[in-house]
Structure formats: C-alpha cells, structure tokens
Amino acid sequence: AQSVAQPEDQVNVAEGNPLTVKCTYSVSGNPYLFWYVQYPNRGLQFLLKYITGDNLVKGSYGFEAEFNKSQTSFHLKKPSALVSDSALYFCAVRKAAGNKLTFGGGTRVLVKP
Amino acid sequence: EAGVAQSPRYKIIEKRQSVAFWCNPISGHATLYWYQQILGQGPKLLIQFQNNGVVDDSQLPKDRFSAERLKGVDSTLKIQPAKLEDSAVYLCASSSTKQGYEQYFGPGTRLTVT
C-alpha cells in the first residue's frame, strides 16, 4: 500500500521569509511525487512533480521541491513567501507503473504580511 | 484550453435522497477520476476510468455509489440513498499520458447531506 504523511496541519510564516511544507511517503518501487495547491472553493492546482532525474524540481509560482530517496521525503519550498501563497497544500504519490494517486492530509499555509 | 468542468457547484439534500454530479474532462483526456474530499482530509479516489472502462473502483461504496462514462467523455457520479457521512466535496480530474502524468482537477461539487 502507498501512503503520504504531511506532519504539519498548519504552517505560519511571515511574508518574505522562506516557506517549507513537509511531506514523507511510502510506496513500493520508484515513486512519482506531486504537489498540488487548493485555494478556497477551488479545485486542486498542479504545482510540480518528480518523476526521475534531478532531485530538485522547480514548479509554478516560484515553488520548488527536493526529492530525498533515503529519507523518503519530498518537501515543498519557496525562498520568499507571499501573502497570496496562503492556501492548502497537498502532497501526493503514485507508483511509477501504476495509476492510483494517494494524497496526504494537507497542510494549511498562512503567510502573514 | 478549457479546464475540467463540473456541475452543480453546490448541492444540499436530505439523507436518503439521491443526487447526481456531472463532469466534463479536458478534451482528449482518456483518463477520468472521481475523488471524495471530506473536510480536513486529502482527496480519496473513488473511481478511475480509462476511456469508458473502469480501471479502479476499489474504494467506491458500491451499495450506494455508482458512476458511468458511457461515451468515454463525460461522466456522472450518483449517490442513492445519501447518508450524512457523504457530505464532502466531490472532485473530478482528468489526465493524459501525453501531458506527463499530472491530473487536472475541476472546481468540485460541495455536497451537504442534512
């Protein structure tokens, strides 16, 4: 079975400070990893993915994530947070050869001015 | 490019009533997914279609939930009869192997069962 853990229900950060949202996963074989963001009353929007290759992947809106195989982690980062980054963030995993996407419970990010 | 469309956006029903949700995926996307997102949780896959065939419905409560994608494009998800615990946002997503495994989500339907 595959699973995703997002250990923090909420992350508070001041505008302009670095933002990190943590994610660890469990899956057999090589993982495909994703980050999605959800704004109020909106569907999930794709931010970035790791399939293979460079462990540091860059995505939309200045976000990046680092894949760490030994720690089975895929933390989301942004060097300088904006108030508009306040939203709900979801990490997800699927098997390389499979289709089913399993989501974590989500982390609410609050960026204060 | 138009995104995934869903309707209705909101629905309030009483328990034991029936309800149906509609989804129109991105044009050309062969794979369609229905997720249930309960407040405070991540989305949970209910059913996945490849064209008009079911790939995975292992987490679909088949005694009350049904879904179809007859022509391999639009899809409907039905609940009959609804229970209080079915209150959630129902998300539809679609994907294409040509677009690198990402799933594109619709805005969702918020269902409240009273």
Side-chain angles (χ1 to χ4, degrees):
Chain A
Q2 56 196 47
S3 64
V4 175
Q6 294 182 242
E8 302 155 317
D9 290 336
Q10 181 159 325
V11 170
N12 298 317
V13 63
E15 187 173 32
N17 282 1
L19 169 64
T20 298
V21 185
K22 296 179 181 177
C23 170
T24 57
Y25 66 90
S26 174
V27 70
S28 59
N30 294 322
Y32 287 3
L33 294 157
F34 302 83
W35 275 101
Y36 286 85
V37 60
Q38 188 174 38
Y39 297 99
N41 299 315
R42 302 278 294 276
L44 278 72
Q45 295 179 31
F46 169 78
L47 278 180
L48 51 79
K49 67 183 178 189
Y50 171 82
I51 303 297
T52 186
D54 193 348
N55 290 343
L56 184 65
V57 293
K58 295 186 183 297
S60 306
Y61 314 120
F63 284 93
E64 57 188 29
E66 186 168 12
F67 171 63
N68 187 316
K69 189 172 183 177
S70 63
Q71 298 185 2
T72 62
S73 68
F74 190 57
H75 301 330
L76 181 70
K77 299 179 181 181
K78 186 171 185 180
S80 178
L82 301 172
V83 172
S84 57
D85 293 329
S86 298
L88 193 54
Y89 291 80
F90 290 96
C91 181
V93 69
R94 55 169 279 187
K95 292 181 181 180
N99 287 306
K100 183 177 179 178
L101 196 59
T102 298
F103 286 85
T107 298
R108 187 168 301 281
V109 170
L110 180 59
V111 182
K112 298 181 178 179
Chain B
E1 178 184 77
V4 177
Q6 290 188 248
S7 67
R9 291 296 310 276
Y10 306 92
K11 190 73 176 179
I12 301 174
I13 62 172
E14 296 181 351
K15 58 183 179 183
R16 291 186 291 273
Q17 286 187 324
S18 62
V19 64
F21 312 128
W22 173 82
C23 173
N24 181 244
I26 292 173
S27 178
H29 281 197
T31 310
L32 185 147
Y33 314 79
W34 283 102
Y35 289 87
Q36 180 191 58
Q37 185 178 16
I38 294 173
L39 186 64
Q41 299 181 17
K44 181 185 80 172
L45 180 70
L46 292 175
I47 189 168
Q48 176 185 338
F49 292 95
Q50 181 73 21
N51 296 308
N52 60 350
V54 175
V55 174
D56 185 346
D57 63 356
S58 57
Q59 297 191 93
L60 185 75
K62 298 180 185 64
D63 58 334
R64 298 184 300 106
F65 285 64
S66 64
E68 60 183 12
R69 194 185 184 200
L70 292 176
K71 297 182 179 179
V73 180
D74 293 6
S75 178
T76 56
L77 176 70
K78 297 178 181 178
I79 307 175
Q80 182 179 11
K83 293 185 175 181
L84 295 176
E85 58 261 36
D86 298 332
S87 294
V89 176
Y90 290 85
L91 295 166
C92 180
S94 67
S95 68
S96 166
T97 54
K98 296 179 182 178
Q99 291 182 297
Y101 308 101
E102 299 101 271
Q103 295 182 20
Y104 295 84
F105 285 80
T109 297
R110 182 176 297 277
L111 174 67
T112 302
V113 183
T114 64

